[in-house]
Amino acid sequence: MSEPTNPPVEPGRLNGDGVSHSVQDVESEDDGYASDAASLEEVRSEEFPTYFEERAGRLFPSTPSPYPLPVDTPEQERLNLLHDLLLQFFGANYVGPVADVLRAVDNPDQPKRVLDLCTGTGKWVMKMAEEFPAVDFRGFDIVPITTRYPRPNVHFEIDDINARFRWRSGTFDLVNARAIAMAVRNYRQVLEEIARVLRPGGLFISYEWATQPAFHPRLQLDPAAHAPASSRFHDAVNSALTNRRGLQQIVVDLSSVLAETSGFTDIRPCQYHIPIGAWHEDPAMQSIGAACLRANERYAQSVRPFLVDSGWSEADVDTMLDNYIHEIRSVNGLVSVLFTAHARRL
């Protein structure tokens, strides 16, 4: 395995030219969006080693978090690959009425504001900020792995998704959550915070990947029988997430959880089947499938240290991953299922 690569980050300034971290979580008259200097401080260069630790040749967050995956260059490349894949698949950086929300002029004196949870490399934020230059974008994550050169309407911060959001109630027009489930201890609690910081009529959008293997619905094939290596791999990861990190994957039930959370209405769930590999008859989907295959291969390598830490022997993990990767490369019809849901704030 290659040596870990440090995240491409440098200290930022509070004018939107880098990364800062929250130093208070208590809502007050002075805390919130309009007074960043009161609630943030610059991350100094000597602080960056405190955010990362090396294990098994990979870099992981050193701060307490249920998130099990590394945050080094190979994993950042996987996250960017997923972004590009979804952009190609949807033909846009989003699903749902995002453009309507961000282009509507509700109050000329109040700019539109967007919050991206678990922003990762920040690529989604940067692309959205380019598309909507008049909108103010915020993104936060547990570690500083975003670009050193954000756009003028972008500000990245360091914070924990499981903590109380530092912003005042009714601050944002849109809250975006892409693949945050692995970092969240209590999803209902996070949804309550999302509802709190959204303005009335504001939009929440969720994207989460299924945690079990699947074939395209038209094939009507049982993954346990026809993709046993994929089934074993996903079962092992799900068991480790539950037993070692206490994480319950709720992606299939997200719409019902949203319905049970006070403050949301007009809930629109959907699911998409993205091919793994170039087996699809559509050339555009073949390209997407090839990218999805690479992303799944990289995910298997990223999850390897977590499986070893969870009690598997290295030899057993390597055999399981080899079988899984061979299967997704050779079995036609496998898909990654993406669950989305968007809802409005009452």
Side-chain angles (χ1 to χ4, degrees):
M1 184 174 292
S2 60
E3 291 298 314
T5 305
N6 288 327
V9 290
E10 289 180 354
R13 296 187 295 274
L14 294 180
N15 63 0
D17 197 20
V19 180
S20 52
H21 62 79
S22 175
V23 294
Q24 67 178 37
D25 296 316
V26 180
E27 184 179 18
S28 68
E29 289 301 316
D30 293 327
D31 180 35
Y33 211 81
S35 56
D36 293 327
S39 57
L40 301 174
E41 65 180 18
E42 181 181 338
V43 176
R44 297 180 298 274
S45 58
E46 63 268 22
E47 289 185 289
F48 278 81
T50 69
Y51 289 100
F52 308 97
E53 64 181 14
E54 181 182 345
R55 301 198 309 270
R58 304 293 299 267
L59 286 180
F60 292 84
S62 60
T63 50
S65 169
Y67 189 67
L69 299 184
V71 292
D72 51 15
T73 296
E75 178 62 12
Q76 292 175 45
E77 291 172 347
R78 183 184 75 89
L79 296 176
N80 288 338
L81 177 61
L82 286 173
H83 170 87
D84 294 339
L85 178 161
L86 292 179
L87 176 59
Q88 186 179 359
F89 183 79
F90 289 117
N93 287 305
Y94 46 81
V95 298
V98 171
D100 294 340
V101 169
L102 297 186
R103 292 196 173 108
V105 181
D106 303 321
N107 183 346
D109 298 323
Q110 188 177 64
K112 296 289 183 174
R113 293 165 175 169
V114 174
L115 177 64
D116 187 38
L117 310 179
C118 301
T119 197
T121 65
K123 189 168 186 178
W124 181 86
V125 172
M126 292 290 285
K127 292 299 184 182
M128 288 290 289
E130 181 179 355
E131 183 176 353
F132 299 97
V135 175
D136 196 27
F137 288 85
R138 299 282 162 131
F140 74 84
D141 209 313
I142 195 71
V143 289
I145 61 173
T146 54
T147 176
R148 294 175 293 174
Y149 307 108
R151 295 180 62 84
N153 56 329
V154 170
H155 192 111
F156 294 116
E157 302 179 13
I158 301 169
D159 216 338
D160 185 357
I161 185 68
N162 298 290
R164 176 181 171 83
F165 297 175
R166 72 170 190 83
W167 294 278
R168 286 194 298 253
S169 301
T171 295
F172 294 99
D173 300 276
L174 168 65
V175 175
N176 185 72
R178 273 193 179 186
I180 71 170
M182 274 194 176
V184 171
R185 294 190 179 94
N186 186 328
Y187 211 108
R188 287 175 173 80
Q189 177 179 300
V190 171
L191 288 176
E192 290 171 357
E193 278 296 278
I194 291 168
R196 183 182 67 78
V197 299
L198 275 172
R199 292 171 177 162
L203 183 67
F204 167 59
I205 306 181
S206 168
Y207 311 73
E208 294 290 346
W209 296 99
T211 59
Q212 293 291 344
F215 282 95
H216 195 280
R218 71 168 180 255
L219 298 176
Q220 298 184 337
L221 294 176
D222 178 11
H226 296 276
S230 298
S231 297
R232 185 171 188 239
F233 168 71
H234 285 283
D235 286 345
V237 173
N238 292 335
S239 176
L241 288 172
T242 300
N243 296 330
R244 299 287 294 186
R245 298 298 172 96
L247 298 177
Q248 300 294 329
Q249 304 299 296
I250 64 166
V251 293
V252 177
D253 300 322
L254 181 58
S255 59
S256 62
V257 177
L258 277 166
E260 295 167 1
T261 303
S262 175
F264 288 107
T265 187
D266 194 20
I267 300 166
R268 306 290 183 90
C270 195
Q271 60 179 284
Y272 302 89
H273 301 92
I274 301 176
I276 301 175
W279 54 264
H280 203 280
E281 62 274 11
D282 182 346
M285 295 300 287
Q286 290 173 9
S287 174
I288 292 170
C292 190
L293 174 62
R294 294 196 302 273
N296 276 274
E297 291 173 345
R298 293 190 178 199
Y299 173 73
Q301 294 304 322
S302 286
V303 83
R304 181 187 183 276
F306 176 56
L307 292 173
V308 173
D309 288 346
S310 299
W312 290 76
S313 72
E314 291 193 18
D316 285 345
V317 169
D318 288 339
T319 298
M320 179 168 58
L321 296 189
D322 287 345
N323 291 339
Y324 168 66
I325 291 173
H326 173 75
E327 186 171 88
I328 62 176
R329 287 176 176 175
S330 58
V331 175
N332 290 337
L334 284 167
V335 295
S336 287
V337 182
L338 180 69
F339 292 90
T340 71
H342 57 85
R344 293 280 191 164
R345 179 69 169 92
L346 284 170

